[in-house]
Amino acid sequence: MRARRMVNAAKWQPAPFARRPMRFDDLPLHDATLSSVHACHETGRCDLTLRLGISGTHVLRFEGFNVLSVPRQEPWGPSCAVNATRQVSPRAYELELQSGDVIHIEARSWTFQKRCDEPPLVSGHPAQMRAAFMAAEAASGGPHVATFVLGKPSPSGSPARAAVEVCRGAETRWRIDLCDGLGESGFQDVRCVGDVVYVGYGQQVAVVSPMTGRVASYPLAGYFGHLFTAEDLDSKALGRSVLVSSASELLCFDAAGERVWRTTDLAIDGVIVHRVVGDAVEGSAEWDPPGGWRPFRLNLQSGKPA
């Protein structure tokens, strides 16, 4: 499961789009990561904490709820990403996850706001690096933005298939263009850990260090699956290491972005990490799709079966 965090009700800052009316169906939550669901039965309040990539952490709050259904049956496989939102009646709302589960809430009202308890940007100290996917045409460019290219650029000069925009503080400093030759996948993901950017796309995972200009791309056995950090798994044991899954394998990278180990033949159609406990990585691997998941346990230091 992704990291679970409680919401401090006193720390709220309206998102820019929260100041004008917005339909529930139009909330920009596709591919957002659902971190936690916190319900207070006494007050009738329910908070859904969601990470929106470069936009930061937001909270979808329901007031006066009287029905709450949060299934975790995962008919499409494990995932904490949002697929769609919809209002099914004047007081009933649904969030469909990419696991196939549908969260159903009936409530008096809802608000969508940015959570402002994330690390501030302090003058004189390095600002946090953030990154997000976007259409190549929409990504920032110009002489002040350094560009990294993955794959084979089009000879005709047509735009890249997608791009990742990397910011430090409020300023866009780098972009990563994703071109042809990277393979196909139904998943894509990006994480910043320190000054290292991990990009999962197609059948590759790329490790980019924008400050030094280092770029390393690792082909995967099958489609790219997911990236897992200590924040995602709520695990101090993982530190600044990153786990990368594909259709059939799991890779581990250290704090400097160097590959430490690679464990193959874990599955045939998906690998998900649930938690890191001590020196053990615990997860599920799909051997008999759809739904034929089996548990696995690997040593965090070596990647060998624990």
Side-chain angles (χ1 to χ4, degrees), residues 189-211:
D189 212 350
V190 60
R191 292 286 188 280
C192 294
V193 181
D195 288 336
V196 182
V197 182
Y198 294 83
V199 181
Y201 185 84
Q203 296 180 10
Q204 308 271 331
V205 61
V207 183
V208 182
S209 300
M211 301 294 292

Side-chain angles (χ1 to χ4, degrees), residues 58-293:
H58 288 63
V59 176
L60 178 58
R61 170 169 290 179
F62 295 89
E63 300 280 4
F65 81 86
N66 53 18
V67 174
L68 174 61
S69 174
V70 189
R72 191 174 178 274
Q73 298 176 341
E74 301 178 333
W76 301 345
S79 178
C80 292
V82 177
N83 189 44
T85 59
R86 49 182 175 263
Q87 183 169 357
V88 295
S89 74
R91 290 172 58 97
Y93 310 89
E94 292 182 345
L95 272 78
E96 180 184 84
L97 302 182
Q98 294 176 20
S99 65
D101 293 307
V102 177
I103 297 174
H104 179 89
I105 302 175
E106 296 181 17
R108 181 179 65 249
S109 62
W110 62 272
T111 55
F112 183 58
Q113 298 177 312
K114 183 176 178 63
R115 203 179 77 182
C116 58
D117 59 352
E118 297 177 303
L121 304 180
V122 181
S123 178
H125 295 270
Q128 255 190 338
M129 194 175 287
R130 298 171 296 141
F133 275 93
M134 60 183 55
E137 298 88 339
S140 300
H144 65 289
V145 178
T147 300
F148 299 90
V149 178
L150 300 177
K152 302 175 182 178
S154 170
S156 64
S158 58
R161 300 177 64 180
V164 172
E165 193 170 87
V166 184
C167 301
R168 184 175 283 284
E171 181 185 3
T172 299
R173 298 279 302 278
W174 305 275
R175 62 178 281 171
I176 303 168
D177 283 352
L178 306 171
C179 302
D180 293 332
L182 299 177
E184 301 293 337
S185 174
F187 304 96
Q188 61 184 37
D189 212 350
V190 60
R191 292 286 188 280
C192 294
V193 181
D195 288 336
V196 182
V197 182
Y198 294 83
V199 181
Y201 185 84
Q203 296 180 10
Q204 308 271 331
V205 61
V207 183
V208 182
S209 300
M211 301 294 292
T212 64
R214 173 180 174 267
V215 180
S217 188
Y218 298 85
L220 300 172
Y223 60 79
F224 164 77
H226 305 279
L227 300 172
F228 302 95
T229 65
E231 182 183 0
D232 294 321
L233 300 172
D234 196 16
S235 168
K236 293 182 179 179
L238 192 57
R240 289 202 166 190
S241 297
V242 175
L243 299 172
V244 182
S245 71
S246 73
S248 62
E249 61 193 335
L250 190 66
L251 295 77
C252 180
F253 293 84
D254 64 16
E258 299 289 343
R259 195 180 76 185
V260 179
W261 51 259
R262 179 179 193 165
T263 300
T264 60
D265 299 323
L266 275 178
I268 63 171
D269 193 23
V271 175
I272 296 293
V273 176
H274 299 310
R275 63 189 68 86
V276 175
V277 182
D279 282 336
V281 180
E282 299 178 355
S284 298
E286 190 169 30
W287 279 97
D288 186 18
W293 295 85

